[in-house]
Amino acid sequence: MIIKIKTKRKKEIVDITEEINKFLEKQEIKSGLVFLFALHTTCALTTADLDPGTDLDYLDAFENLTPKLKYRHPHNPEHFPDHFLSSLVGISLLLPFENKNLFLGTWQRVILIEFDGPREREIFIKTI
């Protein structure tokens, strides 16, 4: 199945935890693993603590991780850092769930990190 997430800004962090739990509620399987895979090369998936302002801290840190180089990306060299950060963070997650809910730590949330928005992002989701 595919879930769609609309982003609103060029760079942002979107909490998708509840969308994943809504998907799990509709599944026959009560416990197992859920696999998430972003069908894009300029966004990423991970877990994070989202205390107020932490999303902006993450975005600032990602900006500082990107080297200031002369990129050779063919269709738009200024667009390459978005691809780089997506690869660095990763585009997939495998997470446990119990009783049709994600099994996460106290502060963990599942997030989509947008590096090249705003866009409608598609995430493939499958239970195991």
Side-chain angles (χ1 to χ4, degrees), residues 4 18 35 40 48-49 52 54 58 78 82 87 90 118:
K4 296 184 180 192
E18 294 313 314
F35 176 69
H40 306 279
D49 173 351
T54 307
Y58 279 110
E78 292 177 9
D82 306 327
S87 295

Side-chain angles (χ1 to χ4, degrees), residues 6-40:
K6 289 187 180 188
T7 63
K8 298 177 180 135
R9 292 185 286 287
K10 165 75 174 145
K11 297 188 185 303
E12 73 175 301
I13 291 181
V14 180
D15 184 344
I16 63 170
T17 308
E18 294 313 314
E19 284 84 355
I20 306 305
N21 279 329
K22 286 178 190 173
F23 169 83
L24 293 172
E25 287 173 11
K26 298 174 186 172
Q27 303 308 300
E28 289 183 26
I29 184 171
K30 290 180 70 174
S31 298
L33 298 170
V34 62
F35 176 69
L36 307 171
F37 181 79
L39 299 172
H40 306 279

Side-chain angles (χ1 to χ4, degrees), residues 55-116:
D55 58 336
L56 299 176
D57 293 339
Y58 279 110
L59 294 175
D60 289 347
F62 288 131
E63 183 70 27
N64 284 310
L65 283 174
T66 308
K68 307 301 180 218
L69 303 172
K70 184 177 179 185
Y71 296 108
R72 295 173 290 271
H73 186 51
H75 81 263
N76 180 356
E78 292 177 9
H79 177 65
F80 178 78
D82 306 327
H83 294 293
F84 170 73
L85 290 170
S86 175
S87 295
L88 189 66
V89 177
I91 59 168
S92 66
L93 287 174
L94 185 64
L95 300 165
F97 66 97
E98 292 284 334
N99 298 316
K100 299 191 176 203
N101 278 295
L102 287 167
F103 190 79
L104 298 171
T106 302
W107 305 111
Q108 283 181 310
R109 305 297 290 174
V110 180
I111 62 171
L112 178 139
I113 306 169
E114 176 64 79
F115 294 117
D116 188 36

